[in-house]
Amino acid sequence: MSAELPLLLSETAATGVLVLQLNRPDKRNALATPLLAALADALDHAARDDAVRCVIVTGSDKIFAAGADINEMVERQVAGALSDVRPAFWRRIRGFQKPLVAAVEGWCLGAGNELLMCCDLSVAGRDARFGQPETNLGIMPGAGGTATLSRLVGRTAAMRMVLLGDPISADEAEALGLVALVVATGAARSAAVEMAERIAARAPLAMRQAKASINATFDLPHAAHLGFERQAFSALFGSDDKREGVAAFLDKRSANWTGS
Ligand code: COA
């Protein structure tokens, strides 16, 4: 890996929209640990920056990400896998509280697909392909490629993707709910920016609370989830944005969100 090459490119795309671009083209954006760390750091930074209201994660126009870096696995044994730092980076990425949108062109494999599932909404170019091919290597997914995938697309589709290692098309990923929107090849990033701009223009606290409540589906039984949802809902009633949103509706004008 070249020390000169920035692993992650960062660009402001529109008001409130930050684009983070995986940048290891020579290794098909394989999510080596330093790249995963850079992504976690960038999201921590974005979390603290009030000007950022939505983040897009993307790859190049040819590939999203080819999975974890297989070279890092060559020498790793059980002790190394158990003490791996990667789960801590994944937790930080998964715990990002602002809306996260993925823009995918080309291959989205293994850890790439696990990263996609950390995002709240995904836009894919029609030729994108999604897969969890880890069993081809005699291992299995380790960052949501069974636990999250099966909750998201159902047991049968997850079994097919993981046990057979078969990639699925963008249209199938959309039908399964893995991606939100399929667009023409090459248009994923611009469509994701459009989607992110719409989110960025909406009430930030409402976005955050709603994201947290929808994601709690994965963790909570229904009765506890309804309680969590009610708490998230109630907390918004102390916000300036709730007062502004309701007043703007009654005044028949656009709301001016402050995120407070
Ligand atoms: N980890 C490390 N290096 C990877 C990689 C990965 N997951 N995926 C690709 N690379 C490297 C290749 O080793 C090659 O390196 P080299 O030029 O030094 O030989 C380079 O990226 C280009 O790969 P190549 O296979 O020639 O590209 P391609 O465009 O023909 O195919 C893929 C792209 C994504 C289909 C193919 O690279 C692939 O199947 N990758 C592995 C996917 C996988 O098993 N992911 C799960 C990992 S747990």
Side-chain angles (χ1 to χ4, degrees), residues 26-28 30 63 66-71 73 107 109 133-134 137:
D26 53 332
K27 297 294 177 189
R28 303 300 183 265
I63 189 157
D69 192 314
I70 296 169
N71 294 301
M73 298 176 186
W107 290 107
L109 295 175
E134 291 90 341
L137 304 171

Side-chain angles (χ1 to χ4, degrees), residues 126-166:
R126 180 143 279 114
D127 291 329
R129 294 283 177 277
F130 303 81
Q132 296 287 166
E134 291 90 341
T135 55
N136 295 343
L137 304 171
I139 54 171
M140 62 173 276
T146 64
T148 308
L149 185 70
S150 56
R151 283 170 165 82
L152 208 53
V153 304
R155 178 175 181 267
T156 302
M159 287 289 185
R160 214 180 98 211
M161 289 172 73
V162 174
L163 297 192
L164 295 171
D166 284 345

Side-chain angles (χ1 to χ4, degrees), residues 7-70:
L7 293 171
L8 191 66
L9 305 176
S10 176
E11 186 193 325
T12 303
T15 312
V17 178
L18 176 72
V19 180
L20 300 175
Q21 182 180 346
L22 310 173
N23 187 38
R24 282 188 84 200
D26 53 332
K27 297 294 177 189
R28 303 300 183 265
N29 287 340
L31 288 159
T33 301
L35 176 51
L36 202 60
L39 191 55
D41 287 347
L43 290 176
D44 284 353
H45 193 267
R48 292 191 298 270
D49 184 348
D50 288 341
V52 175
R53 294 198 169 176
C54 185
V55 177
I56 294 172
V57 176
T58 193
S60 71
D61 55 358
K62 298 270 185 293
I63 189 157
F64 184 69
D69 192 314
I70 296 169

